[in-house]
Amino acid sequence: METKILIVDQDKSVLTKLEKHLSGENGYNIDVETNPFRALEMVKNSNYSIILSDYELSTINGIDFIKLVLDYRPATRVVIMTKEHKLCKMIEAIASGACDYIPRPIENISKVKTIIDNAVEMVEQWKNIKEECSCY
């Protein structure tokens, strides 16, 4: 089954690089968006397994974006990307519901793929738990 991923970043070069390296043969179905509010509409209307989002979005910060995504799709795993390698921002993102973070600039695509694979595993575990539990 193909993994559906949404990448949200106002830097089009980041979107292009990630889309190029992650789509197709890796089994990832990639959508990209520069506008976080259009991205939220996409989240409402489509079932993404993973969302990669920049921490610094143009009209909303990454923390608020994470919270809105998880309000709409609690089983979706969000990975935050950040240029600032400040521990407090990384902790804040994880505490807000992100499952991981990717430091920018993105230099190691294989590390990104590993992070995505780990997030996909989390999604699969969530689906298995949901199927086994009659409370959902």
Side-chain angles (χ1 to χ4, degrees):
M1 183 172 94
E2 204 170 52
T3 300
K4 197 163 185 175
I5 299 174
L6 174 62
I7 306 171
V8 185
D9 200 308
Q10 57 199 25
D11 185 339
K12 290 182 181 182
S13 67
V14 170
L15 295 176
T16 302
K17 179 179 183 175
L18 288 172
E19 185 176 28
K20 175 185 171 194
H21 289 285
L22 297 175
S23 62
E25 66 201 44
N26 294 302
Y28 306 135
N29 179 355
I30 306 290
D31 289 332
V32 296
E33 182 55 62
T34 57
N35 181 301
F37 293 105
R38 281 195 300 260
L40 287 171
E41 286 302 313
M42 294 168 74
V43 168
K44 288 181 197 177
N45 297 316
S46 192
N47 196 13
Y48 293 98
S49 297
I50 313 293
I51 297 177
L52 302 179
S53 175
D54 190 12
Y55 184 93
E56 297 293 332
L57 298 168
S58 58
T59 53
I60 186 173
N61 73 45
I63 300 306
D64 291 336
F65 184 77
I66 292 168
K67 291 175 182 176
L68 289 169
V69 165
L70 295 177
D71 282 346
Y72 298 126
R73 301 282 183 186
T76 298
R77 300 297 89 194
V78 180
V79 177
I80 206 82
M81 300 180 288
T82 179
K83 290 181 227 172
E84 294 185 38
H85 301 267
K86 294 183 180 174
L87 184 59
C88 61
K89 282 195 176 187
M90 295 172 201
I91 291 171
E92 182 182 22
I94 300 295
S96 297
C99 67
D100 211 332
Y101 69 92
I102 297 170
R104 287 184 47 191
I106 297 169
E107 297 169 351
N108 187 344
I109 290 294
S110 65
K111 181 167 175 129
V112 173
K113 290 177 185 176
T114 299
I115 289 169
I116 290 172
D117 289 342
N118 290 340
V120 168
E121 181 63 30
M122 287 181 210
V123 170
E124 291 303 315
Q125 288 174 354
W126 175 255
K127 285 179 186 175
N128 292 338
I129 290 168
K130 237 176 115 173
E131 287 173 6
E132 292 174 11
C133 181
S134 61
C135 60
Y136 286 102

